[in-house]
Protein backbone atom coordinates (compact mmCIF):
# COMPACT_ATOMS: atom_id res chain seq x y z
CA UNK A 1 0.00 0.00 0.00
CA UNK A 2 1.02 3.56 -0.58
CA UNK A 3 1.83 6.09 2.11
CA UNK A 4 -1.35 7.93 1.13
CA UNK A 5 -3.45 4.86 1.97
CA UNK A 6 -1.60 4.44 5.27
CA UNK A 7 -2.43 8.05 6.13
CA UNK A 8 -6.12 7.52 5.32
CA UNK A 9 -6.32 4.42 7.52
CA UNK A 10 -4.46 6.20 10.32
CA UNK A 11 -7.00 9.05 10.21
CA UNK A 12 -9.89 6.57 10.32
CA UNK A 13 -8.31 4.77 13.29
CA UNK A 14 -7.78 8.09 15.08
CA UNK A 15 -11.45 9.00 14.50
CA UNK A 16 -12.73 5.66 15.85
CA UNK A 17 -13.91 6.99 19.26
CA UNK A 18 -15.98 9.72 17.59
CA UNK A 19 -17.41 7.27 15.04
CA UNK A 20 -18.36 4.79 17.78
CA UNK A 21 -20.04 7.54 19.80
CA UNK A 22 -22.01 8.65 16.73
CA UNK A 23 -23.11 5.14 15.79
CA UNK A 24 -24.20 4.40 19.37
CA UNK A 25 -26.14 7.69 19.55
CA UNK A 26 -27.77 7.13 16.16
CA UNK A 27 -28.60 3.46 16.83
CA UNK A 28 -30.35 4.48 20.05
CA UNK A 29 -32.85 6.47 17.93
CA UNK A 30 -35.57 4.22 16.57
CA UNK A 31 -35.69 4.77 12.82
CA UNK A 32 -38.09 2.07 11.72
CA UNK A 33 -39.07 2.77 8.11
CA UNK A 34 -42.51 4.12 9.07
CA UNK A 35 -41.54 5.75 12.40
CA UNK A 36 -41.50 9.36 11.22
CA UNK A 37 -40.70 10.91 14.61
CA UNK A 38 -37.51 8.87 14.93
CA UNK A 39 -36.55 9.45 11.31
CA UNK A 40 -36.96 13.20 11.76
CA UNK A 41 -34.90 13.12 14.96
CA UNK A 42 -32.03 11.30 13.27
CA UNK A 43 -32.29 13.53 10.18
CA UNK A 44 -31.72 16.60 12.39
CA UNK A 45 -28.59 14.98 13.84
CA UNK A 46 -27.39 13.99 10.37
CA UNK A 47 -27.87 17.51 9.04
CA UNK A 48 -25.85 18.85 11.98
CA UNK A 49 -23.17 16.20 11.42
CA UNK A 50 -22.94 17.02 7.70
CA UNK A 51 -22.70 20.80 8.19
CA UNK A 52 -18.89 20.80 8.61
CA UNK A 53 -18.58 19.25 5.14
CA UNK A 54 -19.67 22.52 3.60
CA UNK A 55 -21.53 22.53 0.34
CA UNK A 56 -25.22 22.92 -0.31
CA UNK A 57 -27.32 20.85 2.05
CA UNK A 58 -30.98 20.12 1.35
CA UNK A 59 -33.66 17.97 2.98
CA UNK A 60 -35.97 16.48 0.38
CA UNK A 61 -39.42 15.26 1.36
CA UNK A 62 -40.00 11.75 0.02
CA UNK A 63 -43.34 10.66 -1.42
CA UNK A 64 -45.44 8.57 0.97
CA UNK A 65 -45.16 4.79 1.05
CA UNK A 66 -48.34 3.18 -0.21
CA UNK A 67 -49.44 -0.09 1.32
CA UNK A 68 -52.47 -2.37 1.32
CA UNK A 69 -54.03 -2.81 4.76
CA UNK A 70 -55.78 -5.86 6.18
CA UNK A 71 -59.08 -4.79 4.55
CA UNK A 72 -57.44 -4.60 1.13
CA UNK A 73 -57.51 -0.81 1.07
CA UNK A 74 -54.58 1.28 -0.06
CA UNK A 75 -53.23 3.70 2.50
CA UNK A 76 -50.27 6.02 2.49
CA UNK A 77 -47.65 6.29 5.22
CA UNK A 78 -45.19 9.18 5.44
CA UNK A 79 -41.51 8.38 5.06
CA UNK A 80 -38.50 10.37 6.26
CA UNK A 81 -36.63 12.94 4.24
CA UNK A 82 -33.65 12.44 2.01
CA UNK A 83 -30.61 14.52 2.87
CA UNK A 84 -28.49 15.77 0.00
CA UNK A 85 -25.12 17.45 0.32
CA UNK A 86 -23.60 18.77 -2.90
CA UNK A 87 -20.07 20.05 -2.83
CA UNK A 88 -18.05 21.24 -5.82
CA UNK A 89 -20.73 20.51 -8.45
CA UNK A 90 -18.44 21.95 -11.12
CA UNK A 91 -15.71 19.36 -10.48
CA UNK A 92 -14.73 17.21 -13.46
CA UNK A 93 -14.76 14.09 -11.31
CA UNK A 94 -17.57 13.63 -8.84
CA UNK A 95 -18.48 10.90 -6.38
CA UNK A 96 -21.93 9.84 -5.22
CA UNK A 97 -22.26 8.34 -1.76
CA UNK A 98 -25.74 7.15 -0.88
CA UNK A 99 -27.28 5.15 1.95
CA UNK A 100 -30.58 4.86 3.79
CA UNK A 101 -30.92 5.77 7.46
CA UNK A 102 -34.00 3.78 8.38
CA UNK A 103 -34.04 0.28 9.86
CA UNK A 104 -36.48 -2.62 9.69
CA UNK A 105 -36.97 -2.46 13.48
CA UNK A 106 -40.02 -0.34 14.31
CA UNK A 107 -40.66 1.04 17.81
CA UNK A 108 -42.58 -2.09 18.84
CA UNK A 109 -39.77 -4.51 17.89
CA UNK A 110 -37.74 -5.91 20.81
CA UNK A 111 -34.37 -5.20 19.12
CA UNK A 112 -33.86 -1.61 20.32
CA UNK A 113 -30.77 -1.61 22.52
CA UNK A 114 -27.34 -0.65 21.25
CA UNK A 115 -24.34 -1.84 23.19
CA UNK A 116 -20.69 -2.60 22.83
CA UNK A 117 -19.92 -6.30 23.10
CA UNK A 118 -16.55 -7.99 23.50
CA UNK A 119 -13.71 -6.89 21.27
CA UNK A 120 -15.17 -3.45 20.60
CA UNK A 121 -17.97 -4.82 18.42
CA UNK A 122 -21.21 -2.85 18.46
CA UNK A 123 -24.59 -4.56 18.43
CA UNK A 124 -27.77 -2.64 17.75
CA UNK A 125 -30.25 -1.58 15.07
CA UNK A 126 -28.41 -0.27 12.02
CA UNK A 127 -24.88 -0.44 13.40
CA UNK A 128 -23.61 -2.90 10.76
CA UNK A 129 -25.14 -1.17 7.75
CA UNK A 130 -26.76 2.21 7.52
CA UNK A 131 -25.79 3.99 10.72
CA UNK A 132 -22.31 2.49 10.75
CA UNK A 133 -21.96 3.28 7.04
CA UNK A 134 -23.00 6.88 7.60
CA UNK A 135 -20.36 7.29 10.29
CA UNK A 136 -17.69 5.91 7.96
CA UNK A 137 -18.81 8.16 5.08
CA UNK A 138 -18.64 11.24 7.29
Amino acid sequence: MSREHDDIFARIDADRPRMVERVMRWAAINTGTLHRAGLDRLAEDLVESCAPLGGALERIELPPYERVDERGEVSAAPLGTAIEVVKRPEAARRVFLGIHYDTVFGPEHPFQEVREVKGGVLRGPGVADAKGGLAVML
Side-chain angles (χ1 to χ4, degrees):
M1 269 198 226
S2 71
R3 172 139 169 76
E4 181 181 347
H5 286 111
D6 290 342
D7 290 346
I8 290 169
F9 291 128
R11 285 197 317 260
I12 291 170
D13 286 343
D15 203 28
R16 183 183 188 284
R18 187 169 59 152
M19 290 192 305
V20 168
E21 183 277 324
R22 271 186 175 153
V23 172
M24 290 187 77
R25 185 176 73 242
W26 292 343
I29 300 170
N30 182 280
T31 55
T33 301
L34 301 178
H35 184 54
R36 183 63 192 253
L39 293 166
D40 287 345
R41 194 167 139 217
L42 182 57
E44 288 300 322
D45 196 318
L46 292 172
V47 166
E48 185 178 307
S49 297
C50 289
L53 298 174
L57 191 143
E58 181 181 1
R59 286 183 66 171
I60 303 164
E61 192 66 37
L62 299 173
Y65 168 76
E66 291 188 349
R67 60 183 172 184
V68 178
D69 67 19
E70 63 277 354
R71 296 182 309 248
E73 297 177 13
V74 176
S75 63
L79 296 173
T81 56
I83 300 167
E84 177 184 62
V85 179
V86 177
K87 188 167 182 167
R88 296 183 54 217
E90 73 288 348
R93 184 173 294 162
R94 298 177 61 198
V95 175
F96 171 79
L97 301 174
I99 194 166
H100 63 96
Y101 61 93
D102 67 328
T103 69
V104 298
F105 307 104
E108 69 289 340
H109 195 282
F111 186 51
Q112 300 292 324
E113 181 185 353
V114 58
R115 60 190 170 93
E116 193 166 353
V117 295
K118 67 179 180 176
V121 174
L122 295 180
R123 183 177 189 276
V127 301
D129 63 348
K131 295 171 184 180
L134 283 161
V136 171
M137 281 195 274
L138 281 170

